Each structure stands twice: as C-alpha cells, then as structure tokens.
Amino acid sequence: MNQDQNKAAALTVPCPQCKTELVWDTSNIFRPFCSESCKNHDLIAWANEEHNIPGDSLHDDVLSRDLEQDF
Ligand SMILES: [Zn+2]
C-alpha cells in the first residue's frame, strides 16, 4: 500500500495566476504559484485592491490635523 502512495506522490495543481499545471512540491518556494512572477502579480493585485477600498483615511487625517491645531 505504501508503495502505491509513493507512485502517486506527484500531485499537480493549477497556478492561481496563469492556470499552468504545476507539480505540488514542498521545495517550490512559489507555491501555489508556478513562478516568482505569478506570485508577484497576485501580490500587486492584492495591493491594488487594498488601495481601491473606499475609505476616509485621508479625510480622517485632515480632521485630526485640524483638531491638533485647535489645541
Ligand atoms: Zn503561473
């Protein structure tokens, strides 16, 4: 039974970025991505989403600055 598991050890997963099938290997530091560029693309997309979240951070900064000046 253990011998059969060894034969089926090559698990492939699609890269979340480019959908390329890659072998799931613990030595692949870019998991679950196929390459560093795909990993970076995902980070950039995530960062852009963070920046696009509508928020009043700038407004809050101006308000708190006004409060400090009033003091
Ligand atoms: Zn990829």
Side-chain angles (χ1 to χ4, degrees):
M1 278 189 186
N2 285 337
Q3 285 176 342
D4 285 345
Q5 279 182 347
N6 286 338
K7 282 180 185 174
L11 174 69
T12 58
V13 294
C15 170
Q17 180 64 30
C18 68
K19 311 302 182 192
T20 298
E21 290 283 331
L22 63 142
V23 177
W24 186 268
D25 189 334
T26 52
S27 66
N28 176 11
I29 61 173
F30 306 120
R31 283 177 300 144
F33 301 95
C34 68
S35 65
E36 184 177 13
S37 63
C38 279
K39 190 174 184 176
N40 286 341
H41 268 292
D42 192 70
L43 284 176
I44 291 167
W46 179 81
N48 284 340
E49 276 182 32
E50 284 285 298
H51 284 300
N52 286 337
I53 290 175
D56 289 338
S57 60
L58 184 66
H59 192 63
D60 285 345
D61 279 348
V62 173
L63 277 180
S64 47
R65 206 173 300 150
D66 282 348
L67 286 173
E68 282 175 19
Q69 283 175 352
D70 283 346
F71 259 124

